[in-house]
Amino acid sequence: RADKSKSAEDATEFIDYRPTSNIKVSPSMFSLDAAGDFGALLVNGRLFEANKVSLKAVSQHTFNGTRYAAELVVEHILFGDGSYHRRLEQEAGVVAPTVTDAEAAAAHTDTHAEAAAA
């Protein structure tokens, strides 16, 4: 529940967006996406990192019932969510792909089957 006694000026201590020069820009079918470190946002004691900004050629949402010609979307991830960082490392070729739970379970089962057969 939001604290309505706080003013708009108080919100600045919870927002730390910043310009960056180290970004990767890639077009998709309906947007232009820029991935990088764009700062962070603190909500209810949880830090969300702004990691992607997308400019959509046609708005995805409506505002007061109106659909606009374009929309700017800032994507955030919860600080400490390693899955996003592992994906970036994989794309950069820094680490080997992680094993999914299903793959780990299958490997575990195969190992036990081999041990029982021996």
Side-chain angles (χ1 to χ4, degrees):
R1 189 171 125 136
D3 181 0
K4 294 183 181 182
S5 66
K6 296 202 178 257
S7 68
E9 292 82 30
D10 293 332
T12 58
E13 65 188 52
F14 301 110
I15 299 171
D16 183 28
Y17 290 137
R18 59 183 169 269
T20 184
S21 59
N22 187 19
I23 60 173
K24 179 182 177 184
V25 178
S26 57
S28 65
M29 186 174 283
F30 298 106
S31 67
L32 184 62
D33 304 321
D37 177 11
F38 298 101
L41 177 66
L42 186 66
V43 178
N44 295 329
R46 300 173 77 187
L47 186 66
F48 293 87
E49 298 173 308
N51 65 332
K52 182 175 162 185
V53 176
S54 298
L55 179 60
K56 300 194 178 271
V58 177
S59 65
Q60 181 178 350
H61 303 92
T62 59
F63 184 73
N64 290 333
T66 303
R67 186 170 306 275
Y68 290 89
E71 181 174 346
L72 183 69
V73 178
V74 180
E75 181 180 302
H76 298 78
I77 57 162
L78 179 62
F79 177 76
D81 179 7
S83 63
Y84 170 73
H85 297 288
R86 280 191 302 274
R87 181 171 53 94
L88 285 182
E89 290 170 345
Q90 288 171 6
E91 288 174 1
V94 177
V95 295
T98 55
V99 177
T100 66
D101 291 339
E103 291 169 333
H108 182 71
T109 303
D110 292 342
T111 303
H112 284 291
E114 290 171 9

